[in-house]
Amino acid sequence: EFGKEVANLVDGVSVIGRIQTKARLNFAGSENERKNILRLQKLILSSIKDIRVIFIRLLDRKDNLKTLDVFPAKKQKRKAQETLLIYAPLAKKIEMGKLGGELEDMAFKYLYPETYKQVKKVRDKNLPIAHSAIQLLEKTIMRKLKKAQIKVLKSDYRVKHLYSLYQKLKRHNMD
């Protein structure tokens, strides 16, 4: 009814689902499991004929995470683990880092709810100070670039995603 192109996209999304189901990952965190996850990501990428299939799957996962509260805790954790270990890294591999960060944050909230709240509280508390410092730094840099007659096309910065911030704090043994 919607045509061959839409049918191919739907079929591609279904193929990814079947691949994931057959993989039967248990997310134990072992080295073998990590290798299986990487193989699964490669298999997903190599099996699709149209990159839009990955976009649809990633955005579908994001949409599913928005309504995860209605499911039992066990399913929430499984979906969050799949997201954190398969889909967020996959998004980053295809240069969709912002979406990957959003997926990580959404999964983080379900996997480690208390830690999520703590990291969010710390980030939110420090955000206004960081914004002020960044704006001052940007003005200083722009002034110096203008003085040196260097034309700036664009200046940008971003706020670190919560899961990424958590990983960094953990890496540096910070509370």
Side-chain angles (χ1 to χ4, degrees), residues 67-158:
T67 58
L68 210 51
D69 326 12
V70 298
F71 293 101
K74 189 175 180 181
K75 186 170 184 172
Q76 289 176 354
K77 288 212 181 291
R78 185 175 53 79
K79 290 285 185 188
Q81 283 180 315
E82 288 172 1
T83 302
L84 202 56
L85 297 173
I86 299 168
Y87 292 103
L90 196 57
K92 290 178 177 185
K93 271 185 184 168
I94 61 168
E95 299 297 320
M96 295 183 78
K98 183 178 178 190
L99 177 60
E102 290 172 5
L103 291 171
E104 284 175 340
D105 283 357
M106 294 170 92
F108 179 35
K109 180 180 174 183
Y110 288 98
L111 287 174
Y112 311 104
E114 290 307 311
T115 306
Y116 173 86
K117 288 175 192 168
Q118 290 171 343
V119 173
K120 186 172 179 353
K121 184 179 174 184
V122 168
R123 191 209 50 197
D124 291 350
K125 182 180 127 191
N126 291 302
L127 207 53
I129 299 163
H131 274 297
S132 297
I134 289 169
Q135 287 172 342
L136 181 63
L137 181 63
E138 184 180 36
K139 284 179 186 175
T140 304
I141 290 170
M142 292 300 179
R143 194 172 39 253
K144 290 186 180 207
L145 289 171
K146 187 176 181 177
K147 187 176 179 181
Q149 297 179 336
I150 298 173
K151 184 179 179 183
V152 177
L153 297 177
K154 183 179 179 183
S155 169
D156 199 10
Y157 65 91
R158 65 176 178 80

